[in-house]
Amino acid sequence: MKVVIIGGVAGGMSAATRLRRLDEDAEIIVFDKGPYVSFANCGLPFYLSGEISEHADLVVQTPEKLQQRFNLDVRPNHEVTRILPDSHEVVVRYAGQLTHESYDRLILAPGARPIMPDLPGIADAKNIYALRSIPDLDQIMTGIQAESTQHVLVVGGGFIGLEVAENLVLSGLKVTVVEQAPHVLPPLDTEMAAFVEAELARNGVRVITGQAVASFEDAGKVAILADGTRLTTDLTIIAVGVRPASQLAKAAGLRLGFHGGIVVDKQYQTSVPDIYAVGDAIVVQQQVTNDPTLIPLASPANRQGRQVADNIAGLPHPNRGSLGTAIVRAFKLTAAATGLSEYQAQQAGLTYRVVHVRGGSHAGYFPGSTPLTLKLVFNPDSGEIYGAQGVGERGVDKRIDVLATAIKGDLTIDDLPELELTYAPPFGSAKDPVNMLGYVAMNVAEGLSKTIQWHQLPAALAAGRQVLDVRDVDELADGEFPQARNIPLNQLRQRLTELNPAQPYVVSCFSGQRSYIAERLLRQHGFDVVNLDGAFALYHAVRPQDLIYQR
Amino acid sequence: MKVVIIGGVAGGMSAATRLRRLDEDAEIIVFDKGPYVSFANCGLPFYLSGEISEHADLVVQTPEKLQQRFNLDVRPNHEVTRILPDSHEVVVRYAGQLTHESYDRLILAPGARPIMPDLPGIADAKNIYALRSIPDLDQIMTGIQAESTQHVLVVGGGFIGLEVAENLVLSGLKVTVVEQAPHVLPPLDTEMAAFVEAELARNGVRVITGQAVASFEDAGKVAILADGTRLTTDLTIIAVGVRPASQLAKAAGLRLGFHGGIVVDKQYQTSVPDIYAVGDAIVVQQQVTNDPTLIPLASPANRQGRQVADNIAGLPHPNRGSLGTAIVRAFKLTAAATGLSEYQAQQAGLTYRVVHVRGGSHAGYFPGSTPLTLKLVFNPDSGEIYGAQGVGERGVDKRIDVLATAIKGDLTIDDLPELELTYAPPFGSAKDPVNMLGYVAMNVAEGLSKTIQWHQLPAALAAGRQVLDVRDVDELADGEFPQARNIPLNQLRQRLTELNPAQPYVVSCFSGQRSYIAERLLRQHGFDVVNLDGAFALYHAVRPQDLIYQR
Ligand SMILES: Cc1cc2nc3c(=O)[nH]c(=O)nc-3n(C[C@H](O)[C@H](O)[C@H](O)COP(=O)(O)OP(=O)(O)OC[C@H]3O[C@@H](n4cnc5c(N)ncnc54)[C@H](O)[C@@H]3O)c2cc1C
Ligand SMILES: Cc1cc2nc3c(=O)[nH]c(=O)nc-3n(C[C@H](O)[C@H](O)[C@H](O)COP(=O)(O)OP(=O)(O)OC[C@H]3O[C@@H](n4cnc5c(N)ncnc54)[C@H](O)[C@@H]3O)c2cc1C
Ligand SMILES: CC(C)(COP(=O)(O)OP(=O)(O)OC[C@H]1O[C@@H](n2cnc3c(N)ncnc32)[C@H](O)[C@@H]1OP(=O)(O)O)[C@@H](O)C(=O)NCCC(=O)NCCS
Ligand SMILES: CC(C)(COP(=O)(O)OP(=O)(O)OC[C@H]1O[C@@H](n2cnc3c(N)ncnc32)[C@H](O)[C@@H]1OP(=O)(O)O)[C@@H](O)C(=O)NCCC(=O)NCCS
C-alpha cells in the first residue's frame, strides 16, 4: 500500500508514524511545502522572547531521523499543487519542477492558514506578518531585532495574539493589541477576559477592544482604526484567526462544509474515495452541541492523525468529535476554557445558568496559595455541564483539565462535589474549587440560591433592589457599590431589624460565598433577596468604573 | 429540631454549617472533646518545619465566629462519653462534670484515632507520640525543640508518616522511617514507591522497610526492630494508620462493620434510629470494587458532612461511595494515587493489566519541564480503569485528578486519548501523559504490544529471552541490563540481520516508548519479542542493584 500525506506536522506526521508502527511494508511519502516538518507550532511565540532559546528546540523531528526510525520518505519544500482523484495522483512542485506522485490512499493534513484581511494599504506594507511557520518566525525575528523596531501592533487578541504580545513585551518592545470583539480572548466571556485585560495593562500592553483596524498607511507604519485612531507601528502581526487550508481539496472536488472546512466521515474519509483528511483543515463535531465546527488545536490534530492511520490500516477508531480546550499564559495569569462559553450556549439557544467560584490554588493556610476564579456554564434542569472557564495565577490548567474530563464523562453538576481530587495542603483543598463549583451550581439548580449576574445588577437596582454588602468594614476600602448598605455577615443575624422587610435586596460580599450565607439567612427570615454571583471581586474585575472608591 | 453533633472538624462542622444554611431554626450543638474545633488536621505536619508558621493558621474557624455567623452552639473540651438512644440523649463530660443533652437527631463525626501498637516498653516511654490533633502537635513541638532532640524515629511510612518525616528533616533533625510493609506508601505499588524511597534517601532520611518495631527500651530511647536492630531515638512518632473512633457507637449498640467502622445506609443513618454518622468513622463503599472499606480522608469527610445535613433537612443526597485519592509531597517529589493499586486489584481477584508511561510535566521543548511517571491499572477486556498512580516533581496532582475524574465518569482506556486537556507549551503537551496512558493501554488491550513488567524480567531471562536494548550508545553509561544486546532504534531496521530469528527478545529503551517502536518493527519482521513496560527508567528505580554500571 502506498500512502501519500500532504502536510508533515501535527496531524500528518502523527498519521505517518502510527501507520508505520501498524504496517512495516507500507510505502509512506510525506510532502510538506515548508522547509521544516514535525515542528512545534505552539512553541513559536515563545522564541520571540527567547524563553525558548534554541531554534533547534522548535523542531521535534527531522526528515533524516524520521527516515531512520520510521522508514518514512519525508520531503520538505515539496508543495502539492493539485490532487487528481481519478488517476490517484498528486502533482508536486519542488524546486520549480512539477512531478506526479501516485497514491493508494491520500491523507490531507494541510492545517490552516492565517486569515489576512484585505485592508487598504496592507499590500504596500513591508512590516506586516502572520505567525504560522518557522520561516514566518524567522522573518519576524529579523523584524523585531532591527534597531528601529520599538512599537509592535498585534491585530487580534485571541490565544495566539496574546502569546505573541506577551513574548514581545518580554523581549522589550512596546505592544498594542487591537481586538475587534468587545474583549480579548473571545472564547472566554467578558467578565473572565476582564482579568486578562487587567493583567495585560499591568504589564504595559495597550489593549484596544471593540475596534478593528480599517487600513494601513505609510508602507504599514501607520494603522488606522475604524474610529479613525492612528497607531504608529514599526511591525505588525496579524493574528485574527485561521481558515482551513482547503484550497487543494476544493479544487479536487472534495466536499467542504462549515467555514470551508473539509467534510469527513467518522473514519476521516472525505467525499472522494481513498482521500482522507485530519487536523485544522477538517470540520469536526462539537461534543457538547453536536454541531459542525472548526477546532484548530494541536491535541485533536495529533489524535486524528493517529486515528486515520488506524482506520487505513484496518483498525477502526472513529472520530468522536472535539471539545475544544484552550489555555494561554498572559504574564503571571493563566486563562483557560473548555466546552461552550456562556455566549456560545446562548447562541446555541440552550437553557443554561452560570456560576462563578473563587478559590485558592491550594489550601489557603499553606504558603503560596493564589486565588483563581472559575466559571461554570450548565443546564439547571439536567445538570449537564456545557463548559467552564478559569483565570488565576496557578492551578487553572488543573481545574480546566478536570472539568474537560468531567464533560467527556458526561458528569453533571451533582457529580462535581463527588470528585475526589488529590488533597494535601501544597496541592489542593479538602473542597477543591471544582467541588465548590458543583455545590454552588446545585444550590442554583435546586432553588436554594437565587442569583443575578454582574451584568444584571444595574437592572436589578433600577427595579428597586438595594445592595446589601456583607463584607467586613475594613474591606470596603477596596471599593463599594453605590447606595449599598453594609452589615458584616457575622453581625447580620443580630441586626436584622435594621433591614426593611419590604425592601428587596441583592446581597454581595467579596467572592459570593458569604453573601450566599447571608442570602440563606435572609430568605428564611422572609426577605426578598438574591445573591450577586461572583460578588464584588468579579464586578470589580469587569466594571471597576461603576464602583465608588472614596472613604 | 434539635441536632447534636459529636466531633467539630471536617465532617461534623461541615454538617453543622450546612444544616444552618438549610434550617435557620434548628438548634445545633457541636461537642468536641478537644480544645479546638474546625482545625486543619492536614496542615499539622507542616507546622513541624515552620512551613506553616502561624499556629492560628491551623484553625479554620473558632467557636465564637461559628456562633456569630452560623448561630452554632459549639462546645470544645466537651467529650461525649455515652449515647443513650432510647432516651435520645448523650452524656457529656466537661471540666470533670457529666451532664445529659437530649437530641432529635444525633450526628457522629468522631473521626479516627491513631493506632498505637501495644509494644513492650511503650508504656514506659515519655517520648512517643501520635499526630492527630493540635494538642498532639504542641507536645511534639515541645519535644523536637528540646536541645537534646537530634534523632527522630517515625514508625510508619504512609502518607502522614512521610509528611512528618519530611518536615522533621526540614527542621534540621535526623530522621529514620521504619515501615513494616515491603515499601513506603503502601497504597502505591513497589516500583512507584521506589522513586519516593530514593528521594527520601537523597534527603538524608534513613528508610527501613519490611521491618516492624518490636519493642522499646530505655524509656523509649531505644527502638528494637524485629530483626534485632537497635535504633537510638530521642523522639518517636507513631504513624502506622488509624482506626475508626467507634467506641461510643459500639457501646450504644450501633452496628459496626469493616475494621470496626460504623455501618451507615446511603442516607448516613446508622442501625439505630435518628443517629447518623460521617467521616473517618464510617464504612464506605469503594467505588471501583463496591466493597466495604475505610477511606479516612478529608475530601469524603467534608462531602459526607454536607450530605448528612441535606438528608436530615429533607433534601436527599445519597452517599455514592468513595474512591480514595491521596497525595504526598516528599521533598522535591510528589506521589499520588487514585482508585485501586495493582496489589489491590490482584487481591480483589480482578482481571487486570498495568502500563507505565513517562512524560513531561509540560512540553519538553519549553523550559522547566520535569519528568513524571504514571501507572495505570485497568481491565484489558472492558477497558475499565481501576486505578492510577503518579510520581514526579511537578504536574502529578493534575494528572491524578484527571484520572480520578475519568474513573468517576466511567471512562475507559479508549477514552483517555480523547481527553482534550489544556495545552500550551508552559502547561502540557499535545499528547498529554494521560492521553499517552490511554494509547499504551489500548495497544496492550488490542494486542498490538505484548509487555512484561519489571518483576517478570528475571523469569523471562531465565526462560531464554535476551534483552535487546535500543537506547543510543551514549545512554548506556547510566547502566545496562546484564547480557543485553544493544542496537540503537534508529539503526535497527538496517541491522536486523545481526539478530537471531530463533532468539526470543525482550526490548527495552529508556522509557519504553522507543522499545515499543522496536517491538512493532521486530514483530512484523517475524521475531518473538515483548516490550519491557517502563523499560530501563522504571527498572533502574526499583532494582538498581540488578544493573551493570561498568563501562
Ligand atoms: C503560533 C501558533 C501557536 C499555537 N499554539 C497552540 C497551542 O498553544 N495549543 C494548541 O492546541 N494549538 C496551538 N496551535 C495550533 C496547532 O499548532 C495546530 O492546531 C496544529 O498544528 C494543527 O495540525 P495540522 O497537522 O492540522 O496542521 P499543521 O501543524 O499546521 O501542519 C500543516 C502542514 O501542512 C503543510 N501544507 C499545507 N498545504 C500544503 C501543500 N499543499 N503541500 C504540502 N504541504 C502543505 C504546511 O506547510 C504545514 O507544515 C498554535 C498554532 C500556531 C501557528
Ligand atoms: C496529621 C494528619 C494529616 C492529614 N493529612 C491529610 C491530607 O493531606 N489529605 C487528606 O485528605 N486527609 C488528611 N488527613 C485526614 C483528615 O484530616 C481526616 O480524614 C478528616 O479530618 C476526617 O474528618 P472527621 O470529621 O471524620 O474527623 P476529624 O476531623 O478527626 O474530627 C473528629 C473530631 O471528633 C472529636 N471527637 C472524637 N470523639 C469524641 C467524643 N467522644 N466527644 C467529643 N468529641 C469527639 C475529635 O476530638 C475530633 O476533633 C490527615 C490527618 C492527620 C491527622
Ligand atoms: C512527534 C510526531 C512525529 C508523532 O510521533 P509519534 O511517534 O506518533 O508520537 P509520540 O512521539 O507522541 O509517541 C507516541 C507513541 O509512543 C507510544 N508510547 C509512548 N510512551 C510509551 C511507553 N512508555 N511505552 C510504550 N509505548 C509508549 C504511544 O503508544 C504512541 O504509539 P501509538 O501511536 O502506536 O500508540 C508528530 O506528532 C509531530 O510531528 N509532532 C510535532 C508537531 C506538533 O505536534 N505540533 C503541534 C503541537 S506544538
Ligand atoms: C470550614 C467548615 C467549618 C465548613 O464550612 P462551610 O461553610 O460548610 O464550608 P466552606 O467554607 O467550604 O463553604 C462552602 C459553602 O460556601 C458556598 N460557596 C462557596 N463559594 C461560593 C460562591 N462563590 N458563591 C456562592 N456560594 C459559595 C458553597 O456552596 C457551600 O455552601 P453549601 O454547602 O450550602 O452549598 C468545615 O469544613 C471545617 O471545619 N473545616 C476545617 C477542618 C477540615 O476540613 N479538616 C480536614 C482538612 S484539613
Side-chain angles (χ1 to χ4, degrees):
Chain A
M1 182 167 55
K2 180 173 175 186
V3 179
V4 168
I5 300 175
I6 305 177
V9 196
M13 205 57 86
S14 295
T17 51
R18 171 70 173 174
L19 193 58
R20 173 60 70 227
R21 286 189 287 268
L22 295 178
D23 184 354
E24 185 64 15
D25 298 324
E27 183 183 352
I28 306 173
I29 304 176
V30 182
F31 293 113
D32 201 294
K33 67 179 177 193
Y36 298 95
V37 294
S38 191
F39 63 91
N41 330 48
C42 317
L44 303 179
F46 301 90
Y47 189 76
L48 295 172
S49 63
E51 189 163 3
I52 294 179
S53 55
E54 298 302 315
H55 201 268
D57 284 349
L58 295 171
V59 181
V60 180
Q61 284 289 1
T62 60
E64 296 67 40
K65 291 213 184 115
L66 290 161
Q67 166 62 49
Q68 289 168 5
R69 180 167 294 183
F70 294 108
N71 190 21
L72 299 178
D73 182 352
V74 178
R75 305 193 196 163
N77 298 312
H78 283 66
E79 179 175 5
V80 177
T81 58
R82 272 181 76 193
I83 303 170
L84 306 171
D86 292 342
S87 60
H88 275 50
E89 284 177 309
V90 293
V91 183
V92 184
R93 179 164 51 213
Y94 173 63
Q97 302 288 322
L98 293 182
T99 52
H100 284 227
E101 190 72 51
S102 68
Y103 64 80
D104 296 322
R105 300 280 192 287
L106 177 66
I107 302 175
L108 306 184
R113 61 207 156 86
I115 297 172
M116 286 303 263
D118 185 21
L119 299 175
I122 208 168
D124 305 331
K126 297 267 164 303
N127 60 348
I128 302 184
Y129 306 91
L131 178 57
R132 179 83 198 171
S133 65
I134 294 184
D136 293 344
L137 176 68
D138 293 341
Q139 279 196 312
I140 296 171
M141 284 303 288
T142 307
I144 64 172
Q145 281 162 356
E147 233 175 285
S148 55
T149 303
Q150 309 265 332
H151 289 87
V152 179
L153 172 63
V154 178
V155 183
F159 286 81
I160 293 179
L162 292 197
E163 281 185 348
V164 166
E166 184 208 42
N167 281 283
L168 290 175
V169 170
L170 295 178
S171 76
L173 296 164
K174 290 241 157 271
V175 179
T176 302
V177 175
V178 174
E179 167 60 55
Q180 185 166 14
H183 57 81
V184 299
L185 294 179
L188 267 66
D189 294 309
T190 314
E191 79 284 12
M192 300 300 280
F195 290 90
V196 180
E197 290 178 6
E199 178 69 5
L200 292 169
R202 261 193 298 278
N203 287 278
V205 181
R206 180 171 174 204
V207 179
I208 301 173
T209 52
Q211 281 280 333
V213 174
S215 61
F216 287 92
E217 282 184 4
D218 199 6
K221 293 295 242 174
V222 176
I224 298 155
L225 305 189
D227 71 352
T229 309
R230 296 173 70 87
L231 301 173
T232 311
T233 166
D234 302 317
L235 190 149
T236 295
I237 295 181
I238 308 270
V240 297
V242 296
R243 281 225 180 86
S246 54
Q247 316 94 302
L248 262 187
K250 187 177 179 190
L254 275 61
R255 200 178 138 214
L256 303 189
F258 188 79
H259 284 229
I262 303 172
V263 174
V264 294
D265 68 9
K266 291 207 182 298
Q267 282 68 46
Y268 300 99
Q269 294 194 39
T270 68
S271 61
V272 170
D274 298 326
I275 305 184
Y276 297 74
V278 294
D280 286 2
I282 67 167
V283 178
V284 295
Q285 202 177 30
Q286 212 291 339
Q287 281 175 11
V288 178
T289 59
N290 289 331
D291 288 339
T293 190
L294 301 172
I295 299 191
L297 290 169
S299 174
N302 272 281
R303 181 178 72 232
Q304 293 159 7
R306 183 183 189 271
Q307 287 174 338
V308 76
D310 286 352
N311 289 320
I312 288 175
L315 189 75
H317 283 139
N319 179 3
R320 291 159 61 191
S322 293
L323 183 57
T325 304
I327 190 163
V328 67
R329 188 192 72 184
F331 300 98
K332 281 168 82 174
L333 217 62
T334 303
T338 186
L340 304 186
S341 66
E342 177 175 1
Y343 178 78
Q344 289 171 323
Q346 198 179 352
Q347 293 298 304
L350 298 172
T351 302
Y352 73 88
R353 294 296 304 271
V354 311
V355 293
H356 298 82
V357 157
R358 194 179 160 100
S361 54
H362 60 251
Y365 61 81
F366 191 84
S369 176
T370 55
L372 55 88
T373 301
L374 296 178
K375 174 178 188 171
L376 193 76
V377 185
F378 62 98
N379 181 315
D381 305 322
S382 66
E384 181 181 354
I385 299 170
Y386 290 142
Q389 295 162 50
V391 289
E393 283 189 29
R394 281 196 278 274
V396 169
D397 54 337
K398 175 161 84 171
R399 273 63 184 211
I400 297 300
D401 283 358
V402 166
L403 288 159
T405 307
I407 293 175
K408 187 79 209 173
D410 289 330
L411 295 184
T412 65
I413 55 169
D414 299 51
D415 296 316
L416 294 183
E418 302 282 329
L419 295 180
E420 289 177 25
L421 306 174
T422 52
Y423 167 52
F427 303 102
S429 297
K431 288 180 195 161
D432 190 86
V434 171
N435 301 136
M436 211 63 107
L437 273 182
Y439 286 133
V440 179
M442 283 170 73
N443 288 336
V444 167
E446 295 180 350
L448 284 176
S449 179
K450 299 189 207 305
T451 59
I452 61 167
Q453 292 301 316
W454 60 273
H455 54 84
Q456 297 170 315
L457 183 62
L461 297 184
R465 287 199 184 266
Q466 188 185 10
V467 172
L468 174 64
D469 190 331
V470 299
R471 287 179 298 166
D472 288 342
V473 176
D474 60 358
E475 296 175 79
L476 303 180
D478 298 335
E480 284 182 77
F481 292 97
Q483 265 106 44
R485 183 73 198 271
N486 173 247
I487 302 182
L489 175 60
N490 286 2
Q491 302 170 12
L492 188 58
R493 211 175 264 99
Q494 279 72 49
R495 293 174 58 183
L496 278 182
T497 52
E498 295 176 28
L499 295 177
N500 176 358
Q503 166 67 52
Y505 290 101
V506 44
V507 273
S508 178
C509 62
F510 181 70
S511 72
Q513 178 171 19
R514 280 172 292 167
S515 51
Y516 157 67
I517 297 172
E519 179 201 356
R520 293 295 313 152
L521 195 172
L522 290 169
R523 180 153 319 116
Q524 294 187 61
H525 285 278
F527 287 89
D528 173 359
V529 57
V530 295
N531 188 19
L532 178 62
D533 185 61
F536 174 83
L538 193 69
Y539 203 90
H540 181 258
V542 60
R543 289 204 177 148
Q545 68 282 8
D546 288 5
L547 298 169
I548 306 170
Y549 301 94
Q550 60 260 32
R551 207 162 241 258
Chain B
M1 182 167 54
K2 181 172 174 186
V3 179
V4 168
I5 300 175
I6 304 177
V9 195
M13 204 57 86
S14 294
T17 52
R18 172 68 174 174
L19 193 57
R20 173 60 69 226
R21 286 189 286 269
L22 296 179
D23 184 355
E24 186 63 16
D25 298 323
E27 183 183 352
I28 307 173
I29 304 176
V30 183
F31 293 113
D32 202 294
K33 66 180 177 191
Y36 298 95
V37 295
S38 192
F39 62 91
N41 330 47
C42 318
L44 302 179
F46 301 90
Y47 189 76
L48 294 172
S49 63
E51 189 162 3
I52 294 179
S53 55
E54 298 302 315
H55 201 268
D57 285 350
L58 295 170
V59 181
V60 180
Q61 285 288 2
T62 60
E64 296 66 41
K65 290 211 184 117
L66 290 161
Q67 166 62 49
Q68 289 168 5
R69 179 167 295 183
F70 294 107
N71 190 22
L72 299 178
D73 182 351
V74 179
R75 305 193 196 163
N77 297 313
H78 284 65
E79 179 176 6
V80 176
T81 59
R82 273 180 76 192
I83 303 169
L84 307 171
D86 292 341
S87 59
H88 276 51
E89 284 177 309
V90 293
V91 183
V92 185
R93 179 164 51 213
Y94 174 63
Q97 303 286 323
L98 293 182
T99 52
H100 284 226
E101 190 73 51
S102 68
Y103 65 80
D104 297 322
R105 300 280 192 288
L106 177 66
I107 303 175
L108 307 184
R113 62 207 155 87
I115 297 173
M116 287 302 264
D118 186 20
L119 299 175
I122 207 167
D124 304 331
K126 297 267 163 302
N127 60 349
I128 301 185
Y129 307 91
L131 177 58
R132 180 83 198 173
S133 65
I134 294 186
D136 292 344
L137 176 68
D138 294 341
Q139 279 196 312
I140 296 170
M141 284 304 287
T142 308
I144 64 172
Q145 281 162 355
E147 232 175 284
S148 55
T149 303
Q150 310 264 331
H151 289 87
V152 180
L153 172 63
V154 178
V155 183
F159 287 81
I160 294 179
L162 292 197
E163 282 185 347
V164 166
E166 184 208 41
N167 281 282
L168 291 174
V169 170
L170 296 178
S171 76
L173 296 164
K174 290 242 160 270
V175 179
T176 302
V177 174
V178 174
E179 166 61 53
Q180 185 166 15
H183 57 81
V184 299
L185 295 179
L188 267 67
D189 294 309
T190 314
E191 79 284 12
M192 300 300 280
F195 291 91
V196 179
E197 289 178 7
E199 178 70 4
L200 292 170
R202 263 192 297 278
N203 287 277
V205 180
R206 180 171 174 204
V207 179
I208 302 172
T209 52
Q211 280 281 332
V213 174
S215 61
F216 288 92
E217 281 183 6
D218 199 7
K221 293 294 241 177
V222 176
I224 297 154
L225 305 188
D227 71 350
T229 309
R230 297 172 69 89
L231 301 172
T232 310
T233 166
D234 301 317
L235 190 149
T236 295
I237 295 181
I238 308 272
V240 296
V242 296
R243 283 226 179 86
S246 55
Q247 317 93 303
L248 262 186
K250 188 177 179 190
L254 275 62
R255 199 177 139 216
L256 303 189
F258 189 78
H259 284 226
I262 303 172
V263 173
V264 295
D265 68 11
K266 292 207 180 299
Q267 281 68 46
Y268 299 99
Q269 294 193 40
T270 68
S271 61
V272 170
D274 297 326
I275 305 183
Y276 297 74
V278 295
D280 285 2
I282 67 167
V283 178
V284 295
Q285 203 176 31
Q286 212 290 339
Q287 282 175 11
V288 178
T289 58
N290 290 330
D291 287 339
T293 190
L294 300 172
I295 299 190
L297 290 169
S299 173
N302 272 280
R303 181 178 72 232
Q304 293 160 6
R306 182 183 189 271
Q307 287 174 338
V308 76
D310 287 353
N311 290 320
I312 288 176
L315 189 76
H317 283 138
N319 179 3
R320 292 158 61 193
S322 294
L323 183 57
T325 304
I327 190 164
V328 67
R329 187 192 73 185
F331 301 97
K332 280 169 81 175
L333 218 62
T334 302
T338 186
L340 304 187
S341 65
E342 177 175 3
Y343 179 78
Q344 289 171 323
Q346 198 179 351
Q347 293 298 304
L350 298 171
T351 303
Y352 73 88
R353 294 297 303 269
V354 311
V355 294
H356 297 82
V357 157
R358 195 179 159 99
S361 55
H362 60 251
Y365 61 80
F366 191 84
S369 176
T370 54
L372 56 87
T373 301
L374 296 178
K375 173 178 188 172
L376 193 75
V377 186
F378 62 98
N379 181 316
D381 305 321
S382 66
E384 180 182 355
I385 300 169
Y386 290 142
Q389 296 162 50
V391 289
E393 284 189 29
R394 282 196 279 273
V396 169
D397 54 336
K398 175 161 84 171
R399 274 62 183 210
I400 296 299
D401 283 357
V402 166
L403 289 160
T405 306
I407 293 176
K408 186 80 208 174
D410 289 329
L411 296 183
T412 65
I413 55 169
D414 298 51
D415 296 315
L416 294 182
E418 302 283 330
L419 295 180
E420 289 177 23
L421 305 175
T422 52
Y423 168 52
F427 303 102
S429 298
K431 287 180 196 160
D432 190 86
V434 171
N435 301 135
M436 212 62 108
L437 273 182
Y439 287 132
V440 179
M442 283 169 73
N443 288 337
V444 168
E446 295 180 348
L448 283 176
S449 180
K450 299 190 206 308
T451 60
I452 61 166
Q453 293 300 316
W454 60 274
H455 54 83
Q456 297 170 316
L457 182 62
L461 298 183
R465 286 198 184 266
Q466 188 185 9
V467 172
L468 174 64
D469 189 331
V470 298
R471 287 179 298 166
D472 288 342
V473 176
D474 59 358
E475 296 175 79
L476 302 181
D478 298 334
E480 284 182 75
F481 292 96
Q483 263 105 46
R485 183 72 198 271
N486 173 246
I487 302 181
L489 175 60
N490 286 3
Q491 302 170 12
L492 188 58
R493 210 174 264 101
Q494 280 71 49
R495 294 174 58 184
L496 279 181
T497 52
E498 297 177 27
L499 295 177
N500 177 358
Q503 166 68 50
Y505 290 100
V506 43
V507 273
S508 178
C509 61
F510 181 70
S511 73
Q513 178 172 19
R514 281 173 290 168
S515 51
Y516 156 67
I517 297 171
E519 179 201 355
R520 291 297 312 155
L521 194 171
L522 290 169
R523 181 155 318 117
Q524 295 187 62
H525 285 277
F527 287 89
D528 173 359
V529 56
V530 295
N531 188 18
L532 179 62
D533 185 61
F536 174 81
L538 192 70
Y539 204 90
H540 182 259
V542 60
R543 289 208 177 145
Q545 69 280 6
D546 288 5
L547 299 168
I548 306 170
Y549 301 94
Q550 60 258 32
R551 208 165 239 260

